[in-house]
Amino acid sequence: MINFLARRLLSGVVLILVITTITYALIYSNAANAARNILGESATAADVAAKAKELGLDRPLHVQYLDWLSNAIHGDFGVSWFTNEPVSSLLANRLPVTLSIVIFAVLMTAFVSAVLGVTAAVRGGWVDRLLQVVSVIGFSLPNFWVALVLVVLLAVVVPIFPATGYVPATESLSGWFLALILPVTALVLGGIASAAQQIRGAVIDVLDMDYVRTLRARGLSSTSVLLKHVLRNAAPPALTILSLQFIALLGGAVVIERVFAIPGMGTLTINSSLQGDIPALMGVVVALVILVVIVNLVIDLANGWINPKARLQ
Amino acid sequence: MLVFDENAELKPNLATAWTYNSDNTVLNLKLRSGVKFTDGTPFDGAAVKANLEHLKAGKGQNAYMADSISSVDVVSPTEVNLNLTAPDPGLVFYLGVVGGAMASPAAETSPEIATTPVGSGPYKLDKSATTLGSQYTYTRNLDYWNKDAFPYDKIVVKPISDATARLNALKSGQVDSGLIEAKSVKEAEASRLNIINPPIDWRGLFIADREGKTVPALGDVRVRRAINLAIDGGALLKSLQLGQGEVTDQIFNKKSQAYVSDLDNKYRFDVDAAKKLMQEAGYADGFEVLMPDLAGFPDVTPILEQQLSAINIKVKWQKVSADSTISALLSGKFPMFFFSLGSQSAWQDIQKVALPTSPWNPAKVNNAELNALVQAARVAKPGDEQNRAMQAVNTWLVDNAWFAPLYRSNIIIASSVKTNVTPQPWNAVPWIRNYRPAS
C-alpha cells in the first residue's frame, strides 16, 4: 500500500510540474500586454517598458519560470498584478468557496444518483424506464440555463433563496446553505443523470453474476445480498465516475459562479485570464491541478480499500 | 481635494479655494483646517505634498495626473502651491478625481495600505464585514467634517461582473443600484426599477493612420470624411444599443469645455456624397484596410464591413483577444479601428488623443496646425478664452476627420424604488454622494 501511495504521489508531482510548465509557456506569449493592462490606456510606451522591466518580463522565459517555480515551492506564488494581494491569500479566500460548492455537489450527486441508480436496477420495469427518460432530460439541460430558471423562480418571483452572492459558513451556517442550494442544484442535474445511469449499469452487471445467484440460492435476503455484496462490487466504477464528476463540476463551477456572482476560483480564473494577471492565473492552475491529483488519489485509495483486487493493479 | 457636482461644476472639498498665478504655472490651494485621517494623522499641507509626490513617483495608472507638477511648496499647514512645468488645464479636474484623493501619509508606506485604506472621507472600510472580491462594507466615519452630505450610515459594495447576475440581484432586492445592459431596460422597468441613462462613452472609428503611412488613402482628408459619411451612426445606435445613446460626430461630451453642438451633425449619413468624395480623392475603386476584430464588439464587425464596402473599402479583420485589446490598438499596427472611449474634461481628452505623444494617437501623427491650436488651449486663461480655444481644437479634429465618431453610448443605471441616484458627469458609476434614500 505504501508503494502504491508513493507511486501515485510521484506521478502527481510530475503532473503538476508538466502542467505548470506548459501553462507558463502558453500564457507567457501574452505577457507583453500585461504591463500595458496594469498601467492603463494613458501610460506612455516608456512607462510600459519600465513596468515590464519591473515585473521581470524582460528576462528569458526559462529564467522567469525557474524563478517562479522556486518561489512557488516555498509557498510564495507572488502578488496579483491587479489587486496587489498575495496570490496565496487570493487562493485561500477563493478555494474554500469553490470547494464548498463542489463538495456539496459531489455529495448530492453521490446520494441522489445512488438511490436512483440502484432503485432502477433492482426494480426494473416502469421505474427503470422513467429514470432513463428523466436522465436524458436532466443530462441535456445546460447548467447555466437551469441556473437562470432557478434564480427567476426561486429568488426573484418567489424570494426564498438569494439571487447572488456567498456567505461563509463561519459567518452563518443557514446563510451558507441558502446561498449554495441554487448553484449546487443547477450544477448537479446533469451529473446526477449520468452517474445514476452508470450506477444502474454497474448494479445490473453485478446482479447478473453467478455468485449473486449462488448467494440467493443459499437463502440470503435480497437486502443483505444487495448491501453486502452487490454494492461493494459495483462501487469501484461508481467511485471512478464520481471522481470524474468532481473534475467536471470544477469546470461547471466556473460558469455557475459567474451566474450567481460567487467569488470562487471560477470568478478568479475568468478575471485573471481576461486581465492577463499571470501570477494569479498560475496560482489558480497549481491549486486546481493539486486538487485533481488529490481527488484521484483519494478515489484510488477508496477503491483499494473497498476492493482489495484494485491494490494489486 | 476638489469635487464636481452633478452639473460638472468644480466645488471646494478638502481644498476650500484655488487660484492660478498670472501665467497659469502655479496653482495655489487653500486647505480645510481641522480635518484628520482615519488613523488620527492631521490633514495639512505636508500631507498634500506627500500624496501628490507619491502619485507622481508611483508610476501607476493615474500618475499622469501629477505629470505637470514639478514641486509642491508647503506655504503653511493650510496652504500649498503646486509649481507646474507648463500650464495644465486638466489639473483642477484631476484634483476632483483620483489625482486629488488623499491618504494618510503615515500609512502610505505600510504594506497593509493596498487592502486597508486610511483616508479622510465620510466612510471607513469595515474589514470584519468585508470579503475581498465579494463584498466591501463601509461604515460612517464619525469624525468626518461634512457628514450631512452623506445620508447612509453603512454602504455595502458588491462587485458583480456578470450583467445577468447584476440584474437578478437588483430584481430580487439584494442590491439597491447597479449598471445594467440596454437589452435589459424593459425587463428592469417591468420589475419597478428606476432607470437613468446618461451618455458617457463615445463609440466610433479611430482613423489612426491620418498621414497615410500604411494606407495612403487614409492620408487624404476627403477619404476620411467619406468614411464619416458612409457609416450610419443612427442605425448602429438603434441596432447595437437599442437606441440608448445619441448620434454624434465629435469625441467630446456635452459637459466638456470643447463641446460644440453643431458638430454633432457634421457628417450626416450620405453614401452618395461619400462615394463622390472617394472619387475626387482618386479612390473610387476603394482600397483595403486592416482592422482588429475585437472580443468586446463582436456585433459591430459585420455591420462596419458592410457599410464600408458600400464605398469600396474592403476590411481585412484580425482577431484580438480581450486581454490584449488596449496594447494592440495603441501599438500603431492598425490603421483604423472601432472602439469605445470615455470623454472627460476637454484637456484630458486632448492629452489622450491629439498630441504627437498621446497614447490614443497610435501612429504618432504630428500636425503643426493642430499643435498650435493645442498650445493655445494650454495657455489660455481659464474661462471663456479657454473654452473657445478648446472648441477650436475640437472643430479642427472634426473638420480633419481624425475620427469617425458614431454615437455617445448611454450608461444605464438601475435603482430600487427606495433609492434616488443622480448621474455623475464624466463617470460611468455615480459617486457615493450621488445616492440618497427616496423618502
Side-chain angles (χ1 to χ4, degrees), chain A residues 25 35 70 97 120 128 175 194 215 232 254:
Chain A
S70 85
V97 179
D128 189 18
S194 74
L215 288 170
R232 188 164 187 148
V254 171

Side-chain angles (χ1 to χ4, degrees), chain A:
Chain A
M1 195 67 184
I2 290 172
N3 248 341
F4 168 82
L5 191 65
R7 271 205 316 274
R8 289 297 155 116
L9 278 175
L10 187 68
S11 64
V13 170
V14 172
L15 185 72
I16 292 167
L17 269 177
V18 169
I19 290 183
T20 53
T21 311
I22 295 172
T23 312
Y24 202 93
L26 285 175
I27 55 183
Y28 177 81
S29 62
N30 259 332
N33 301 319
R36 163 62 68 190
N37 290 346
I38 293 168
L39 292 180
E41 55 186 49
S42 299
T44 62
D47 288 343
V48 172
K51 189 75 189 176
K53 196 173 162 64
E54 182 193 321
L55 297 174
L57 295 174
D58 56 338
R59 297 171 305 160
L61 176 60
H62 67 277
V63 176
Q64 289 184 57
Y65 176 67
L66 290 176
D67 194 22
W68 173 85
L69 188 66
S70 85
N71 287 333
I73 289 170
H74 295 96
D76 175 11
F77 292 96
V79 173
S80 157
W81 286 345
F82 290 86
T83 64
N84 286 325
E85 249 185 288
V87 174
S88 49
S89 85
L90 272 177
L91 295 174
N93 280 330
R94 263 79 169 178
L95 203 55
V97 179
T98 301
L99 281 180
S100 287
I101 299 175
V102 175
I103 291 172
F104 193 164
V106 166
L107 292 177
M108 200 188 218
T109 307
F111 178 72
V112 179
S113 60
V115 170
L116 291 178
V118 173
T119 311
V122 175
R123 286 282 192 85
W126 68 269
V127 177
D128 189 18
R129 281 195 295 279
L130 182 68
L131 178 83
Q132 305 276 347
V133 174
V134 172
S135 291
V136 171
I137 295 171
F139 195 66
S140 54
L141 296 177
N143 55 22
F144 68 88
W145 182 83
V146 176
L148 290 174
V149 170
L150 289 174
V151 171
V152 170
L153 291 181
L154 298 174
V156 176
V157 178
V158 186
I160 305 171
F161 302 104
T164 60
Y166 175 79
V167 180
T170 46
E171 207 173 280
S172 156
L173 204 57
S174 62
W176 173 83
F177 182 76
L178 288 174
L180 284 192
I181 194 82
L182 293 187
V184 168
T185 308
L187 196 56
V188 297
L189 223 55
I192 287 177
S194 74
Q197 288 286 0
Q198 297 288 343
I199 292 171
R200 171 190 169 272
V203 172
I204 288 176
D205 285 348
V206 179
L207 282 173
D208 279 349
M209 287 188 172
D210 290 344
Y211 79 89
V212 175
R213 218 172 16 249
T214 311
L215 288 170
R216 279 189 177 140
R218 286 179 62 194
L220 262 72
S221 74
S222 291
T223 316
S224 169
V225 171
L226 185 67
L227 293 180
K228 283 192 183 158
H229 302 280
V230 175
L231 286 187
R232 188 164 187 148
N233 284 296
L239 276 175
T240 309
I241 289 296
L242 276 182
S243 76
L244 292 174
Q245 284 287 336
F246 184 95
I247 295 158
L249 287 170
L250 271 179
V254 171
V255 178
I256 292 297
E257 282 178 14
R258 200 168 166 82
V259 174
F260 287 94
I262 292 172
M265 296 294 278
T267 312
L268 183 63
T269 310
I270 292 174
N271 291 346
S272 44
S273 323
L274 287 178
Q275 291 174 316
D277 192 343
I278 292 176
L281 204 52
M282 287 305 297
V284 168
V285 170
V286 172
L288 292 183
V289 174
I290 290 176
L291 206 59
V292 170
V293 166
I294 290 174
V295 169
N296 281 319
L297 191 64
V298 169
I299 293 294
D300 284 346
L301 290 176
N303 266 334
W305 175 68
I306 294 171
N307 182 2
K309 274 190 286 180
R311 278 177 244 166
L312 301 173
Q313 285 162 13

Side-chain angles (χ1 to χ4, degrees), chain B residues 77-322:
Chain B
T78 56
E79 189 177 348
V80 289
N81 281 332
L82 312 188
N83 303 311
L84 311 183
T85 48
D88 180 356
L91 185 59
V92 287
F93 170 84
Y94 300 145
L95 294 178
V97 291
V98 182
M102 294 286 123
S104 165
E108 212 166 64
T109 49
S110 128
E112 292 274 289
I113 193 78
T115 50
T116 316
V118 185
S120 67
Y123 295 99
K124 294 193 277 192
L125 181 73
D126 177 1
K127 283 198 93 171
S128 65
T130 291
T131 311
L132 293 178
S134 163
Q135 171 169 310
Y136 299 83
T137 303
Y138 297 87
T139 51
R140 197 182 271 288
N141 172 12
L142 296 173
D143 297 327
Y144 185 61
W145 59 275
N146 191 18
K147 280 200 278 280
D148 294 345
F150 297 88
Y152 297 102
D153 287 332
K154 187 169 101 173
I155 290 171
V156 181
V157 179
K158 296 181 179 217
I160 304 178
S161 52
D162 185 74
T164 311
R166 233 166 20 235
L167 181 64
N168 287 333
L170 278 157
K171 282 164 65 179
S172 66
Q174 269 191 304
V175 297
D176 289 310
S177 183
L179 303 187
I180 62 168
E181 294 178 322
K183 65 179 183 204
S184 306
V185 168
K186 281 196 178 140
E187 191 182 343
E189 282 172 341
S191 306
R192 293 187 66 227
L193 293 170
N194 294 325
I195 302 289
I196 51 171
N197 44 5
I200 298 282
D201 296 346
W202 68 271
R203 288 185 181 184
L205 289 171
F206 285 69
I207 310 175
D209 188 18
R210 293 134 192 159
E211 287 177 330
K213 283 181 191 153
T214 325
V215 181
L218 295 179
D220 192 315
V221 69
R222 289 167 296 186
V223 170
R224 298 198 300 270
R225 286 175 183 157
I227 292 171
N228 268 272
L229 290 165
I231 303 173
D232 188 351
L236 261 93
L237 173 61
K238 207 168 151 191
S239 61
L240 300 179
Q241 285 291 115
L242 306 177
Q244 288 286 345
E246 47 196 29
V247 174
T248 186
D249 286 321
Q250 61 189 314
I251 62 165
F252 295 91
N253 67 75
K254 276 182 156 171
K255 299 272 186 193
S256 170
Q257 280 177 286
Y259 179 74
V260 180
S261 60
D262 288 350
L263 294 178
D264 272 342
N265 263 315
K266 170 91 176 173
Y267 301 105
R268 285 198 186 156
F269 175 57
D270 187 341
V271 178
D272 291 337
K275 279 183 180 162
K276 208 167 151 228
L277 278 173
M278 289 288 280
Q279 196 168 16
E280 279 173 31
Y283 291 100
D285 294 335
F287 55 90
E288 190 180 87
V289 61
L290 176 72
M291 284 176 63
D293 182 359
L294 301 177
F297 301 100
D299 38 5
V300 178
T301 319
I303 305 178
L304 283 179
E305 181 169 320
Q306 184 256 324
Q307 300 220 320
L308 289 169
S309 73
I311 54 169
N312 295 325
I313 298 177
K314 191 176 171 342
V315 182
K316 201 175 141 198
W317 297 99
Q318 190 173 92
K319 280 243 175 254
V320 171
S321 66

